[in-house]
Amino acid sequence: MRVSTFNELPVSRSMLRRFGGYCHRLYIGEDEFYDMGNLSSDCYPLLSPRRRRGSILTLEKANGLFAKQKLIWVNGSTLYYNGAPVGQVADSEKQFVSMGAYVLIFPDKKVLDTTTLTLKDMEAAFSTVGTTTYTLTKEDGTPYDTPTVSATAPEEPEDGALWMDSASTPHTLKQFSAYSAAWVPIATTYIRIGATGIGALFGEGDGITISGSILEALNADCIVQRRGEDYLVVIGILDEALSQSTALSVQRKVPDMEFLTEHNNRVWGCNSEKHEIYACKLGDPWNWNCFAGLSTDSYAVTVGSDGDFTGAASYLDYILFFKADRVHIVQGTKPANFQVMMQIMRGVEKGSEKSLAMVNEVLIYKSPEGICAYTGGQPVPLYEAFGNVRYKNAVAGAFRGKYYVSMQEEQGSRHLFVYDLARQLWHREDTLHAKYFAKLGDELYYITDGGLIGTVAGSTKLYEGAAEEGARESEVEWFAETGEWGMDSPDQKYISRILLRMTAEPGSRVTVCVQYDSSGIWEQKRTLTAGTRRTFTIPLIPHRCDHMKLRISGTGSCKIFSISKEIEQGSELNGRF
C-alpha cells in the first residue's frame, strides 16, 4: 500500500517597526499608507494620531492674519492687534509685511506702528488753496538776496554779489569772490514753495511728485530737503520770486504691488502689469520714489520676462520674485550694486502665493507640478507621495520643523497635509480649509474659510491677557489604510496571521478591517475599547486570498508599535483554491 506524505509548508515572519507616511501611489512600501486621516509623525517611528487642535474665535469676515509679537487679524474692515481694534481698513483680503516696529498693510498702503498702535497712510496728497509762492533759497530755506539776471557778468561787483547767468540753460547762480576775483557757480540751489499747510503731511527726505506748478521744471519727482508747516524746500533754480493762485498738487506715492517681502531693512514688491520690481528707501517704507544717487535710495527695475508674478520671498542673502516657470533673484546691498538675475525653474503656482513658508533653513512652496523645496539651486520635488492627484490654491505655514499646507484637489475638496522635513515624511490630517496661517511663539494659528481662528498645538487663548478661553477638540478620529499586500509575490504565498501591537489611553477605541482582492468591501475583524491605559496585541486570521489591504481606525490617543505578518508558502494544490 502506497502512502502519500506532505512536507510542512515553510512559514516566515515580517515585522514593521518603523511607519512611513502618506504615499498615494499604486505601488508603495509596506511601511507606507495609501490613505490616512489625522495621523502624525510626532511619535515616529511609532504610528500615532495628531494632537488635538484648539478652537478659539469665529470672525464674521476674515480678511487676514499675521503675527508680530502679538497676533494681528482683520475682521471685515476692522484691524485688531492683540485682541483690540486699532483702526479701520478696506473690507478686502490683506497682505502684511513686517519691518522694524512697523507692520505694512496692503493693498491699503497703511502702516501700523506696534509701539504706539497708530495706523498711518503710506501715501500723502495735498492741494494748495490760495496763493503759492516760489522763492530762491539756500538749503535751510533762507532766501538769497535778489540776484542780477543777465547774460553777461555785472561790472564792478562787490564781494558776495549774486549773478543769475541767463546765458546757460538752465540758468546758473554765481557768487562773486573778491579773494579770487571770479564769479563762482553755486553748485546746488533750492526753491522754497510756500502755501498754507503744504508741509504738514510730508517729511524731510520724502520723495514727492509735484504737478500744477507754473514752473514747468518743478512738475516732476523731487525730494524734500527742508520742510515746515507752511513750506517745502526742493532743489531748483529761479530767476525771481514768483507766485500763483491756481492749485498746486503734491503727492507722496507708493507703487501698486501684488507680492511683498522684507529684506535688509527694505520692503520689496512687484507689479505684474508693469513688469517692475521695487524697493523702498532704506528703513523708510513711506518712500519709494527717492532717487538721489545715495546708498539709501529707493530702487525700481523693469524685467523682460513673460507672465505674471506669482509670489515673493526673502531667502538667505537675496530676494526671490517668482513666476510660474522661473524666478527673478535680486542680489546686492545698495541700489548701485543691485542685480536682477533670472533662473528657469519650477516657480510658484498662480493662486498659491501663500504656500511660501520657511521650514528651518529650507523654503518650501507649491509649484504647478507640486510641492517643492528650495535651498538656493534647483528646487527639489516633494510631491511624489501624492501620486497622480493634482492640487492647487495652496496655503501653508511652518511649525516645529514641519510644513503645514492646505490644498484644493482638482475635484474641489480640500486636504491638510503635513511634511516632516527632518524625517522626509508626509501625513494627511483632514479636510481643514485654512485661508491663513501665522506662527506666534510656540503655536501655529490658522483661520478657516468659515472664519474660525484655531490652533495646531491646541492653545485656547488667542491673545495676551484674554479673559475668555476657547476649547480643545474632542477626541480625534483617525485611520490608516495600507497598500495592497501580496501583489508583489509571484509565488503561492499568503498571509496567514497578522499581529498588531499598540497602547491606547482610557476611552480610546480601535477598529481593524480587511479588504480582500480589491473587492472594495471592508470586513471588520476586531474592535477594542480601552478601559484603562494598557497595551494590546490584536491577532487577525485573514482569509486565504491573492492580496489584501488593512485599515486601522480609531478615536482617541493610540500608539501602534508594530505590525507583524506571518507568511506561508502555499502548495500547487492549495494554490488552486
Side-chain angles (χ1 to χ4, degrees), residues 53 85 121 129 173 182 197 201 203 217 226 276 288 304 315 377 402 406 410-411 434 454 459 524 528 556-557 564 573:
R53 300 182 189 134
D121 290 316
V129 176
L173 182 65
L201 300 178
R226 293 288 186 271
E276 290 180 338
W288 299 75
Y315 183 70
K402 296 181 180 182
S406 173
E410 288 183 336
Q411 288 75 13
S459 300
Q524 183 173 317
L528 294 174
S557 180
S564 63
L573 178 63

Side-chain angles (χ1 to χ4, degrees), residues 263-264 266 268 279-282 293-300 317 319 330-340:
H263 183 77
N264 287 347
R266 294 180 191 268
W268 292 78
C280 73
K281 189 177 178 181
L282 184 67
L294 304 176
S295 62
T296 58
D297 276 354
S298 312
Y299 178 74
D317 200 31
I319 308 100
V330 184
Q331 293 180 309
T333 57
K334 55 187 176 182
N337 63 19
F338 284 147
Q339 293 182 334
V340 181

Side-chain angles (χ1 to χ4, degrees), residues 34 72 99 145 222 239 287 314 337 354 357 386 394 434 449 466 499 508 515 525 535:
Y34 182 78
I72 301 170
M99 182 180 182
D145 293 334
C222 52
D239 290 352
N287 279 288
S314 174
N337 63 19
K354 288 186 281 187
F386 301 107
D449 61 330
L499 294 173
S508 299
Q515 183 182 131
K525 292 295 185 181
T535 300

Side-chain angles (χ1 to χ4, degrees), residues 14-53:
S14 67
M15 182 173 293
L16 300 177
R17 294 188 179 91
R18 291 179 180 272
F19 294 96
Y22 178 87
C23 189
H24 201 73
R25 296 185 296 182
L26 291 178
Y27 184 81
I28 65 176
E30 288 193 346
D31 61 337
E32 296 175 320
F33 296 93
Y34 182 78
D35 198 4
M36 65 168 61
N38 288 325
L39 292 178
S40 167
S41 64
D42 288 345
C43 297
Y44 181 83
L46 309 182
L47 188 65
S48 63
R50 63 166 174 83
R51 59 174 63 88
R52 290 189 295 161
R53 300 182 189 134

Side-chain angles (χ1 to χ4, degrees), residues 486-502:
M487 291 289 285
D488 57 344
S489 176
D491 304 318
Q492 303 297 325
K493 292 182 179 180
Y494 64 94
I495 300 171
S496 60
R497 193 169 185 233
I498 301 173
L499 294 173
L500 281 73
R501 184 74 170 165
M502 66 182 69

Side-chain angles (χ1 to χ4, degrees), residues 365-577:
Y365 62 90
K366 172 71 172 63
S367 75
E369 287 74 28
I371 305 295
C372 292
Y374 180 81
T375 56
Q378 286 293 326
V380 177
L382 303 179
Y383 49 79
E384 293 93 341
F386 301 107
N388 295 325
V389 182
R390 303 297 294 269
Y391 295 92
K392 59 183 179 180
N393 299 331
V395 179
F399 183 59
R400 295 182 183 177
K402 296 181 180 182
Y403 178 75
Y404 287 75
V405 58
S406 173
M407 300 186 290
Q408 184 180 10
E409 202 175 340
E410 288 183 336
Q411 288 75 13
S413 57
R414 277 271 176 174
H415 301 271
L416 178 67
F417 292 97
V418 182
Y419 183 72
D420 188 321
L421 182 64
R423 299 180 177 102
Q424 299 181 6
L425 296 177
W426 281 104
H427 286 80
R428 179 188 172 276
E429 292 199 351
D430 55 12
T431 57
L432 180 74
H433 181 180
K435 288 182 63 178
Y436 311 100
F437 282 101
K439 182 183 179 299
L440 180 63
D442 194 30
E443 184 59 271
L444 181 64
Y445 294 86
Y446 61 85
I447 299 183
T448 68
D449 61 330
L452 172 69
I453 301 181
T455 59
V456 166
S459 300
T460 56
K461 279 196 174 183
L462 184 59
Y463 57 92
E464 188 178 310
E468 297 182 0
E469 292 192 19
R472 297 186 72 186
E473 281 182 297
S474 56
E475 296 297 338
V476 176
E477 294 186 5
W478 55 269
F479 76 92
E481 180 183 317
T482 69
E484 300 282 5
W485 288 350
M487 291 289 285
D488 57 344
S489 176
D491 304 318
Q492 303 297 325
K493 292 182 179 180
Y494 64 94
I495 300 171
S496 60
R497 193 169 185 233
I498 301 173
L499 294 173
L500 281 73
R501 184 74 170 165
M502 66 182 69
T503 60
E505 297 297 326
S508 299
R509 188 180 74 254
V510 178
T511 300
V512 183
C513 297
V514 176
Q515 183 182 131
Y516 301 106
D517 296 333
S518 303
S519 66
I521 300 173
W522 290 102
E523 297 184 14
Q524 183 173 317
K525 292 295 185 181
R526 296 290 298 272
T527 297
L528 294 174
T529 301
T532 59
R533 187 181 187 280
R534 53 169 295 189
T535 300
F536 295 95
T537 298
I538 302 178
L540 301 175
I541 308 297
H543 297 166
R544 182 72 181 274
C545 62
D546 178 70
H547 58 275
M548 60 178 288
K549 292 199 297 184
L550 191 68
R551 191 179 195 274
I552 311 168
S553 61
T555 303
S557 180
C558 171
K559 295 182 181 64
I560 300 177
F561 285 82
S562 67
I563 300 177
S564 63
K565 297 182 292 182
E566 290 185 1
I567 302 171
E568 293 189 14
Q569 177 69 55
S571 66
E572 290 295 330
L573 178 63
N574 288 334
R576 298 192 185 103
F577 294 95

